[in-house]
Every structure is written in structure tokens, then in C-alpha cells.
Amino acid sequence: MISVVLVAAIKSVLILATVLAGFAYATLLERRLLARFQLRHGPNRVGPFGLFQPIADGIKLIFKENFVPAAADRFVYWLAPTISMVAALFVYAVIPIGPDIRFFGTTVPLYVADVNVGILLVLGASSIGVYGVILGGWSSNNKYALLGCLRSGAQLISYELAIGLAVVSVVLTAGSLSLVDIVNAQQRLWFVAFQPVGFLIFFIGALAETNRAPFDLPEAEQELIAGFHTEYGGFKFAMFYAGEYVGVITMSLLVTTLFLGGWHGPLLPGPLWVAIKTFAFVCLFIWIRATMPRVRHDQLMAFGWKVLVPLGLLNVVATAVIVALVGG
């Protein structure tokens, strides 16, 4: 029993360290790729190839003035970025990054826990992250921050529904809510072949869920100064910032797990396939930011409720009928 707890604790620490390092260097990757897209130089002065730039940015944020607005609700103001950060990290407990391996004669699964409602836990945790954004905007006592958090709340709730419908189609196809079972069900053919509509709905919803372009409305600088985190600075702002980038990595990892076969792939080790697929989707998130213009808020809401949700419902019904016929 003690060894099981110890192994789970070691895996949790390793996953946490990897995700935080991934967040730091995702910021560098984004700045370098955006510079390439826009024909200019990216960060290339701090360390070889600019590799120490995330460390310099982190030190700068930590030592910035740690202010709190005079009229803010101090407890909620401090709590909001913590909720965003913890909710973004929590889902890694159930996302598998590879098959079981043998280590010193012991079988070690490459996930912290395989619960039979894993995908529900992921969706629930990502929903909690909305509270961080809304409470951060409300507690700042700033009208621009409040508008930013209201926009974000409407956006996230709308697109979570579309994401949920895409996930239901995957669950119907795999016959399980466990993420490990869903990956194992794709051993012969990835679900993107069975669920191309669900894949598109999930990916578009993931862009909106992470507030990425063209759905980066909660932080529209021209209209809202900086959205829900207008009154945040220093380490507290860094936590919101980290939550956003960890969310991008999480959504890329979920696309890999739900639609692209997870660790399944020829020749290379399973965890390497997961890393390659996840990295490709993180780059796609950045490419879309460099390419797509921001939509208006009414266009965002109309697309979510009039296109994605009906399409997701039709996809669920079609999947259920096919599964029932094939199963019968």
C-alpha cells in the first residue's frame, strides 16, 4: 500500500514538473513561432537561442509590485488565480501518457489514476476553471474586468456544451468513460476516422475554452484594456497566465487522447507519440492565433449555439444509432 502511494506521489511530482516546464517553454515557442509568421526576430538574447527567456520572464513577474486594489474583495481576489491554476493542473491526474511499463520488475502505469469516470472528472475540473476567471473579474471592482469576466463566463459555458456533446460521441464509440479504455479502443483505428465531426467540434470548442484566437474576447485589449485580469499583476497575473497556457497543453493532450489514438503509433515509444501529437496541436493553436482575426462577441455566441450545439446533437444521435445497429 505504501509503495503504491509512493509511486503515485512520484508520478504526480514528475507530471507537475513536466507540465510547468511545458508551460514556460510554450510561451517561448509561441513568441518564436509568431515572430516567424510575422517576419521578425523573436526572443533570442537571453541564453542560447533565447532559451532562458521564460526564466527571465518568471523572475520579472515575481519581483513586480504585489498590489491589491483598495476596493477589491481581498480574499476572492487572491483565491481566483489559484482556482484557475489548480483546475488546469488537476486534470493531469487521469490523462494517460503511455502504456504500462516494466520498471525494476514492477509494472508501472503511465498515469496517476485510472478512474472509471475519468472524462467526467476532466470536464468537471475544466468547468471549475471558469470560476477563477469570473471571480477574478468580479473581485477586482473594475468595470472593464467585470465585462471581461462576463464575456468569458458566457463563452465558456456555451462552448463547454459543444465540447461535452463531442465527448459523448467518443464515449458512445468507446463504450467507456475511462480515458485509458478510450485510448485502448483506438488501437486499430483512431477515433478521428469515426468521429470527424466530433473532432472538429471538440477542437473549435477547445479554442474557445482556452480563450485563444479567434475567440480571445475576454482579453480584447481594444475594448476591455486587458479583460478579467486588468487589476492583476506580478505573481497573481502569472498564475492566470500559466492557467491559460496549461489549458492549451491540456486541450492538445485531450485531442490526442480522445481522437488521435493517444500513445498508439508505429515504431516510436508510446509517450513519444503522445508528446509529438500534443506538440503538433500546441503549434496549431499558435498558428491559428497568427492567422485568424478575432470574431465579434455576437458572432461567437451565434456560432456556438446555432452551429456547434445543433451539429453536436446530430452527431450524438447519428453515433448512437450506428452503435446500436452495429452492436445489435
Side-chain angles (χ1 to χ4, degrees), residues 119 166-202 254-264 277 281 315 319 323:
I119 190 63
V167 169
V168 168
S169 302
V170 171
V171 170
L172 286 172
T173 309
S176 174
L177 290 166
S178 162
L179 288 168
V180 175
D181 291 345
I182 289 173
V183 173
N184 283 327
Q186 301 175 70
Q187 190 168 4
R188 293 185 177 178
L189 191 61
W190 299 351
F191 279 171
V192 67
F194 295 124
Q195 291 290 337
V197 176
F199 169 75
L200 283 176
I201 293 173
F202 188 92
L254 281 175
V255 171
T256 299
T257 304
L258 297 176
F259 295 99
L260 298 181
W263 61 76
H264 293 299
K277 295 171 187 175
F281 269 91
N315 192 47
T319 304
V323 169

Side-chain angles (χ1 to χ4, degrees), residues 13-93:
V13 171
L14 288 176
I15 290 173
L16 187 63
T18 304
V19 171
L20 292 178
F23 142 68
Y25 281 93
T27 62
L28 179 64
L29 175 69
E30 176 158 36
R31 293 170 69 181
R32 293 300 294 264
L33 284 182
L34 288 177
R36 287 281 183 183
F37 288 128
Q38 296 164 354
L39 300 179
R40 58 181 174 78
H41 294 292
N44 58 5
R45 292 291 185 271
V46 189
F49 308 107
L51 289 174
F52 295 161
Q53 185 67 48
I55 300 172
D57 289 341
I59 293 171
K60 182 181 74 175
L61 282 172
I62 289 171
F63 285 100
K64 275 193 171 182
E65 182 184 1
N66 193 19
F67 68 90
V68 177
D73 185 315
R74 298 181 71 89
F75 175 72
V76 180
Y77 179 81
W78 278 95
L79 182 65
T82 308
I83 292 174
S84 290
M85 185 68 183
V86 171
L89 292 173
F90 184 70
V91 299
Y92 286 91

Side-chain angles (χ1 to χ4, degrees), residues 248-278:
V248 170
I249 298 171
T250 304
M251 284 300 177
S252 300
L253 191 52
L254 281 175
V255 171
T256 299
T257 304
L258 297 176
F259 295 99
L260 298 181
W263 61 76
H264 293 299
L267 302 177
L268 299 175
L272 193 53
W273 271 116
V274 172
I276 291 171
K277 295 171 187 175
T278 304

Side-chain angles (χ1 to χ4, degrees), residues 68-294:
V68 177
D73 185 315
R74 298 181 71 89
F75 175 72
V76 180
Y77 179 81
W78 278 95
L79 182 65
T82 308
I83 292 174
S84 290
M85 185 68 183
V86 171
L89 292 173
F90 184 70
V91 299
Y92 286 91
V94 294
I95 298 180
I97 57 172
D100 295 354
I101 60 171
R102 297 287 295 175
F103 190 72
F104 290 113
T106 304
T107 302
V108 179
L110 292 182
Y111 46 81
V112 177
D114 176 26
V115 293
N116 57 5
V117 289
I119 190 63
L120 291 182
L121 194 146
V122 169
L123 293 176
S126 65
S127 303
I128 291 173
V130 180
Y131 287 95
V133 173
I134 293 178
L135 292 177
W138 173 79
S139 64
S140 300
N141 200 26
N142 177 302
K143 61 183 178 183
Y144 295 107
L146 183 63
L147 283 173
C149 79
L150 290 176
R151 276 188 175 189
S152 188
Q155 174 177 329
L156 296 179
I157 291 169
S158 303
Y159 280 77
E160 268 183 12
L161 187 56
I163 286 179
L165 292 171
V167 169
V168 168
S169 302
V170 171
V171 170
L172 286 172
T173 309
S176 174
L177 290 166
S178 162
L179 288 168
V180 175
D181 291 345
I182 289 173
V183 173
N184 283 327
Q186 301 175 70
Q187 190 168 4
R188 293 185 177 178
L189 191 61
W190 299 351
F191 279 171
V192 67
F194 295 124
Q195 291 290 337
V197 176
F199 169 75
L200 283 176
I201 293 173
F202 188 92
F203 182 67
I204 294 171
L207 287 171
E209 276 284 295
T210 51
N211 297 329
R212 299 285 299 188
F215 306 125
D216 53 338
L217 294 170
E219 302 173 31
E221 296 90 347
Q222 297 91 335
E223 306 154 38
L224 298 169
I225 303 177
F228 60 89
H229 52 56
T230 297
E231 297 290 355
Y232 281 86
F235 187 69
K236 299 187 292 299
F237 171 76
M239 292 178 74
F240 274 129
Y241 197 59
E244 179 180 322
Y245 277 91
V246 171
V248 170
I249 298 171
T250 304
M251 284 300 177
S252 300
L253 191 52
L254 281 175
V255 171
T256 299
T257 304
L258 297 176
F259 295 99
L260 298 181
W263 61 76
H264 293 299
L267 302 177
L268 299 175
L272 193 53
W273 271 116
V274 172
I276 291 171
K277 295 171 187 175
T278 304
F279 178 78
F281 269 91
V282 171
C283 292
L284 184 57
F285 271 83
I286 298 169
W287 186 9
I288 290 173
R289 177 183 173 183
T291 307
M292 300 286 289
R294 178 184 292 141

